[in-house]
Amino acid sequence: MTLQHSRPLGILCLERGGTPSKSRPGSILHPTTFSFPVISDIVEGAWADVVIRGDPPLESAYVAAARRLVEQGAVAISSNCGFSMRYQSSVAAAVNVPVALSSLLLLPTLLRQLPVRRKLVILTADSSCCDEALLGIEDPAQRARVVIGGIEGGKLWQNEMVRPPPYTETSEIEADVVACLGRLQVAHEGVAAILCECTGFPPVASAIRRITRLPVYDVTDLCRMTMASVA
């Protein structure tokens, strides 16, 4: 059954330097991705490189943008950068609607879905910055089941480090991801599912499923689940 919703999902967006944001089919901001309306607001100062590294603090800017979205009618809040997970608690405490800023929120649930000897891959924009605080896993046995692979140095990463960031073609994103998956397949056995941290990856999720023949999850899945809860 397709979810029909008259009230919007609010998306907290990265800075783009005033340039129009061109969304890709399948992305969190593309008009055909969801069956419910979406509104967005830019988080002041939230350039991709700043949010990925986690400095300087952007808590007040995230909270202010989330409040503006709620004032405009948003019944749930997400974001277009998985590293916004750093501000999940602050935003959730500041607004009276469900907040799901990152697909990383799915991590504990997905681990419990898998056999205990199988692993889950997190595909991220930058594995060097996908730290333990973002994962939130305290059990060493569970942490050992998580494999992190990043596309740092690839075309999407290079473009997102520029201000304003140029558009990255979907084919270039897919090439970055396929190269990362190739490295992971050589280094790790027993992978049973993939979680895309980066919100740039949903447009290539189908390709990842086709290549790996594994379940693939991303922020769009989290958004649909969250909006279904308030329908």
Side-chain angles (χ1 to χ4, degrees), residues 105-149:
L105 288 171
L106 295 171
L107 181 56
T109 298
L110 297 182
L111 284 174
R112 296 187 70 175
Q113 288 183 0
L114 304 179
V116 294
R117 290 185 174 84
R118 303 301 294 275
K119 297 178 181 179
L120 181 141
V121 162
I122 294 177
L123 283 179
T124 177
D126 193 327
S127 61
S128 67
C129 295
C130 194
D131 53 37
E132 302 306 312
L134 289 177
L135 302 184
I137 302 176
E138 297 182 358
D139 183 349
Q142 293 290 76
R143 177 62 183 86
R145 299 172 60 206
V146 178
V147 176
I148 300 176

Side-chain angles (χ1 to χ4, degrees), residues 89 95 185:
S89 296
V95 296
Q185 287 176 331

Side-chain angles (χ1 to χ4, degrees), residues 181-228:
L181 287 171
R183 295 190 294 269
L184 294 175
Q185 287 176 331
V186 171
H188 300 278
E189 295 182 353
V191 172
I194 297 171
L195 175 61
C196 298
E197 168 276 322
C198 181
T199 59
F201 294 168
V204 299
S206 294
I208 300 172
R209 293 185 186 99
R210 184 179 66 252
I211 292 167
T212 64
R213 298 187 179 182
L214 294 174
V216 178
Y217 303 85
D218 60 49
V219 70
T220 64
D221 301 309
L222 179 63
C223 289
R224 292 186 184 95
M225 181 181 71
T226 304
M227 288 297 284

